[in-house]
Amino acid sequence: MLQERGRNGGPNPEAEEVRLLARIAAGDKLAFEALYRIYFPRLSRFIGRMARNAALIEEVVNDTMLVVWQKAATFDGTCKVSTWVFAIAYRKTLKGLKASDEPVESDASLYEDDSGNQPEQTMKRQQLQQTVAEALDQLPAAQRAVMVLTYYHDMAYSDIAEVVECPLNTVKTRMFHARHRLKDLLWNERESSQ
């Protein structure tokens, strides 16, 4: 059973998401709107790092949330709500990428930081973000998904295994290969720019 209070003594967001999902299963549109607001930015970032196509991102987010609306009653609580929603989004993204068959491009604007640092530092940070984004784009979709879910969405490997529907050891293997491939890609980029 989920704790009613989070670590900071406030409401437990996971328990709140389970309650929202139960209300959605009963047809509560306000609960759906609340869950949509929670997940829209998270799903947009996740899908955006896999697809890089604004129209596809919006379509997949909406398709994902439509499935959440239609299938909320099937959520059985064996995983976190976020794991369930991201699993739906992952499958919809792969299907959308396969259907669009467009090359994946890097979009540095997704990684921009408006922290107001010195122009030179800002430029160096943006160049590094662009380089990392381009290297991520060169990874196979399965490895890229593991990297994005781990580093941009703070998911545990066990949750990622549920999202991408593969064994835990496969997630670990994908991460191992993705890290080594990224290291090589970034090293080669560094060498060629010197």
PDB file of all heavy atoms in Angstrom, residues 139-155:
ATOM      1  N   LEU A 139      22.644   6.855 -31.099  1.00  0.00           N
ATOM      2  CA  LEU A 139      22.403   5.564 -30.436  1.00  0.00           C
ATOM      3  C   LEU A 139      21.162   4.902 -31.019  1.00  0.00           C
ATOM      4  O   LEU A 139      20.224   5.593 -31.436  1.00  0.00           O
ATOM      5  CB  LEU A 139      22.183   5.770 -28.931  1.00  0.00           C
ATOM      6  CG  LEU A 139      23.348   6.298 -28.110  1.00  0.00           C
ATOM      7  CD1 LEU A 139      22.902   6.517 -26.666  1.00  0.00           C
ATOM      8  CD2 LEU A 139      24.526   5.359 -28.168  1.00  0.00           C
ATOM      9  N   PRO A 140      21.122   3.580 -31.015  1.00  0.00           N
ATOM     10  CA  PRO A 140      19.876   2.894 -31.396  1.00  0.00           C
ATOM     11  C   PRO A 140      18.748   3.310 -30.437  1.00  0.00           C
ATOM     12  O   PRO A 140      19.002   3.651 -29.275  1.00  0.00           O
ATOM     13  CB  PRO A 140      20.221   1.411 -31.227  1.00  0.00           C
ATOM     14  CG  PRO A 140      21.715   1.347 -31.246  1.00  0.00           C
ATOM     15  CD  PRO A 140      22.206   2.660 -30.701  1.00  0.00           C
ATOM     16  N   ALA A 141      17.519   3.273 -30.914  1.00  0.00           N
ATOM     17  CA  ALA A 141      16.369   3.740 -30.125  1.00  0.00           C
ATOM     18  C   ALA A 141      16.288   3.053 -28.763  1.00  0.00           C
ATOM     19  O   ALA A 141      15.990   3.708 -27.756  1.00  0.00           O
ATOM     20  CB  ALA A 141      15.072   3.523 -30.900  1.00  0.00           C
ATOM     21  N   ALA A 142      16.559   1.760 -28.696  1.00  0.00           N
ATOM     22  CA  ALA A 142      16.459   1.040 -27.427  1.00  0.00           C
ATOM     23  C   ALA A 142      17.482   1.555 -26.419  1.00  0.00           C
ATOM     24  O   ALA A 142      17.162   1.740 -25.229  1.00  0.00           O
ATOM     25  CB  ALA A 142      16.638  -0.458 -27.654  1.00  0.00           C
ATOM     26  N   GLN A 143      18.702   1.811 -26.865  1.00  0.00           N
ATOM     27  CA  GLN A 143      19.724   2.341 -25.968  1.00  0.00           C
ATOM     28  C   GLN A 143      19.424   3.787 -25.590  1.00  0.00           C
ATOM     29  O   GLN A 143      19.593   4.187 -24.437  1.00  0.00           O
ATOM     30  CB  GLN A 143      21.106   2.249 -26.615  1.00  0.00           C
ATOM     31  CG  GLN A 143      21.613   0.839 -26.764  1.00  0.00           C
ATOM     32  CD  GLN A 143      22.957   0.772 -27.480  1.00  0.00           C
ATOM     33  OE1 GLN A 143      23.573   1.795 -27.798  1.00  0.00           O
ATOM     34  NE2 GLN A 143      23.414  -0.444 -27.744  1.00  0.00           N
ATOM     35  N   ARG A 144      18.961   4.575 -26.559  1.00  0.00           N
ATOM     36  CA  ARG A 144      18.626   5.975 -26.295  1.00  0.00           C
ATOM     37  C   ARG A 144      17.506   6.071 -25.261  1.00  0.00           C
ATOM     38  O   ARG A 144      17.564   6.884 -24.342  1.00  0.00           O
ATOM     39  CB  ARG A 144      18.234   6.675 -27.606  1.00  0.00           C
ATOM     40  CG  ARG A 144      18.036   8.159 -27.464  1.00  0.00           C
ATOM     41  CD  ARG A 144      17.905   8.880 -28.803  1.00  0.00           C
ATOM     42  NE  ARG A 144      16.845   8.373 -29.644  1.00  0.00           N
ATOM     43  CZ  ARG A 144      17.021   7.749 -30.798  1.00  0.00           C
ATOM     44  NH1 ARG A 144      18.215   7.534 -31.269  1.00  0.00           N
ATOM     45  NH2 ARG A 144      15.995   7.328 -31.493  1.00  0.00           N
ATOM     46  N   ALA A 145      16.512   5.200 -25.371  1.00  0.00           N
ATOM     47  CA  ALA A 145      15.397   5.223 -24.416  1.00  0.00           C
ATOM     48  C   ALA A 145      15.888   4.947 -23.000  1.00  0.00           C
ATOM     49  O   ALA A 145      15.474   5.625 -22.047  1.00  0.00           O
ATOM     50  CB  ALA A 145      14.342   4.199 -24.815  1.00  0.00           C
ATOM     51  N   VAL A 146      16.779   3.978 -22.844  1.00  0.00           N
ATOM     52  CA  VAL A 146      17.313   3.656 -21.519  1.00  0.00           C
ATOM     53  C   VAL A 146      18.085   4.849 -20.958  1.00  0.00           C
ATOM     54  O   VAL A 146      17.927   5.208 -19.786  1.00  0.00           O
ATOM     55  CB  VAL A 146      18.193   2.381 -21.584  1.00  0.00           C
ATOM     56  CG1 VAL A 146      18.957   2.176 -20.290  1.00  0.00           C
ATOM     57  CG2 VAL A 146      17.337   1.164 -21.894  1.00  0.00           C
ATOM     58  N   MET A 147      18.898   5.478 -21.781  1.00  0.00           N
ATOM     59  CA  MET A 147      19.669   6.654 -21.334  1.00  0.00           C
ATOM     60  C   MET A 147      18.741   7.798 -20.928  1.00  0.00           C
ATOM     61  O   MET A 147      18.923   8.401 -19.875  1.00  0.00           O
ATOM     62  CB  MET A 147      20.608   7.132 -22.448  1.00  0.00           C
ATOM     63  CG  MET A 147      21.727   6.188 -22.801  1.00  0.00           C
ATOM     64  SD  MET A 147      22.980   6.006 -21.522  1.00  0.00           S
ATOM     65  CE  MET A 147      23.835   7.559 -21.654  1.00  0.00           C
ATOM     66  N   VAL A 148      17.760   8.085 -21.769  1.00  0.00           N
ATOM     67  CA  VAL A 148      16.849   9.201 -21.487  1.00  0.00           C
ATOM     68  C   VAL A 148      16.039   8.942 -20.222  1.00  0.00           C
ATOM     69  O   VAL A 148      15.911   9.826 -19.363  1.00  0.00           O
ATOM     70  CB  VAL A 148      15.925   9.465 -22.697  1.00  0.00           C
ATOM     71  CG1 VAL A 148      14.800  10.412 -22.344  1.00  0.00           C
ATOM     72  CG2 VAL A 148      16.739  10.031 -23.863  1.00  0.00           C
ATOM     73  N   LEU A 149      15.499   7.741 -20.068  1.00  0.00           N
ATOM     74  CA  LEU A 149      14.702   7.435 -18.878  1.00  0.00           C
ATOM     75  C   LEU A 149      15.556   7.468 -17.615  1.00  0.00           C
ATOM     76  O   LEU A 149      15.092   7.891 -16.556  1.00  0.00           O
ATOM     77  CB  LEU A 149      14.011   6.079 -19.029  1.00  0.00           C
ATOM     78  CG  LEU A 149      12.881   6.039 -20.048  1.00  0.00           C
ATOM     79  CD1 LEU A 149      12.434   4.603 -20.303  1.00  0.00           C
ATOM     80  CD2 LEU A 149      11.703   6.899 -19.599  1.00  0.00           C
ATOM     81  N   THR A 150      16.809   7.059 -17.727  1.00  0.00           N
ATOM     82  CA  THR A 150      17.694   7.069 -16.564  1.00  0.00           C
ATOM     83  C   THR A 150      18.124   8.481 -16.188  1.00  0.00           C
ATOM     84  O   THR A 150      17.949   8.901 -15.043  1.00  0.00           O
ATOM     85  CB  THR A 150      18.956   6.216 -16.829  1.00  0.00           C
ATOM     86  OG1 THR A 150      18.563   4.874 -17.101  1.00  0.00           O
ATOM     87  CG2 THR A 150      19.896   6.239 -15.632  1.00  0.00           C
ATOM     88  N   TYR A 151      18.679   9.211 -17.139  1.00  0.00           N
ATOM     89  CA  TYR A 151      19.310  10.484 -16.824  1.00  0.00           C
ATOM     90  C   TYR A 151      18.390  11.697 -16.885  1.00  0.00           C
ATOM     91  O   TYR A 151      18.664  12.702 -16.239  1.00  0.00           O
ATOM     92  CB  TYR A 151      20.535  10.699 -17.727  1.00  0.00           C
ATOM     93  CG  TYR A 151      21.631   9.715 -17.402  1.00  0.00           C
ATOM     94  CD1 TYR A 151      21.947   8.683 -18.268  1.00  0.00           C
ATOM     95  CD2 TYR A 151      22.326   9.792 -16.201  1.00  0.00           C
ATOM     96  CE1 TYR A 151      22.946   7.768 -17.962  1.00  0.00           C
ATOM     97  CE2 TYR A 151      23.317   8.882 -15.884  1.00  0.00           C
ATOM     98  CZ  TYR A 151      23.616   7.869 -16.766  1.00  0.00           C
ATOM     99  OH  TYR A 151      24.592   6.972 -16.451  1.00  0.00           O
ATOM    100  N   TYR A 152      17.318  11.627 -17.654  1.00  0.00           N
ATOM    101  CA  TYR A 152      16.423  12.776 -17.751  1.00  0.00           C
ATOM    102  C   TYR A 152      15.139  12.594 -16.957  1.00  0.00           C
ATOM    103  O   TYR A 152      14.428  13.560 -16.696  1.00  0.00           O
ATOM    104  CB  TYR A 152      16.089  13.073 -19.222  1.00  0.00           C
ATOM    105  CG  TYR A 152      17.277  13.536 -20.028  1.00  0.00           C
ATOM    106  CD1 TYR A 152      17.966  12.663 -20.858  1.00  0.00           C
ATOM    107  CD2 TYR A 152      17.717  14.847 -19.950  1.00  0.00           C
ATOM    108  CE1 TYR A 152      19.062  13.083 -21.598  1.00  0.00           C
ATOM    109  CE2 TYR A 152      18.813  15.280 -20.687  1.00  0.00           C
ATOM    110  CZ  TYR A 152      19.480  14.389 -21.502  1.00  0.00           C
ATOM    111  OH  TYR A 152      20.561  14.816 -22.223  1.00  0.00           O
ATOM    112  N   HIS A 153      14.824  11.345 -16.596  1.00  0.00           N
ATOM    113  CA  HIS A 153      13.586  11.094 -15.861  1.00  0.00           C
ATOM    114  C   HIS A 153      13.814  10.339 -14.557  1.00  0.00           C
ATOM    115  O   HIS A 153      12.854   9.931 -13.903  1.00  0.00           O
ATOM    116  CB  HIS A 153      12.585  10.342 -16.753  1.00  0.00           C
ATOM    117  CG  HIS A 153      12.147  11.162 -17.915  1.00  0.00           C
ATOM    118  ND1 HIS A 153      11.197  12.151 -17.814  1.00  0.00           N
ATOM    119  CD2 HIS A 153      12.574  11.190 -19.199  1.00  0.00           C
ATOM    120  CE1 HIS A 153      11.043  12.729 -18.983  1.00  0.00           C
ATOM    121  NE2 HIS A 153      11.872  12.174 -19.840  1.00  0.00           N
ATOM    122  N   ASP A 154      15.063  10.144 -14.187  1.00  0.00           N
ATOM    123  CA  ASP A 154      15.443   9.526 -12.912  1.00  0.00           C
ATOM    124  C   ASP A 154      14.713   8.222 -12.624  1.00  0.00           C
ATOM    125  O   ASP A 154      14.328   7.953 -11.496  1.00  0.00           O
ATOM    126  CB  ASP A 154      15.217  10.503 -11.748  1.00  0.00           C
ATOM    127  CG  ASP A 154      16.100  11.728 -11.850  1.00  0.00           C
ATOM    128  OD1 ASP A 154      17.260  11.574 -12.255  1.00  0.00           O
ATOM    129  OD2 ASP A 154      15.624  12.833 -11.533  1.00  0.00           O
ATOM    130  N   MET A 155      14.514   7.415 -13.631  1.00  0.00           N
ATOM    131  CA  MET A 155      13.847   6.124 -13.427  1.00  0.00           C
ATOM    132  C   MET A 155      14.866   5.065 -13.036  1.00  0.00           C
ATOM    133  O   MET A 155      15.988   5.062 -13.527  1.00  0.00           O
ATOM    134  CB  MET A 155      13.119   5.672 -14.687  1.00  0.00           C
ATOM    135  CG  MET A 155      11.811   6.346 -14.930  1.00  0.00           C
ATOM    136  SD  MET A 155      10.927   5.451 -16.234  1.00  0.00           S
ATOM    137  CE  MET A 155       9.307   6.092 -15.985  1.00  0.00           C
TER     138      MET A 155
END
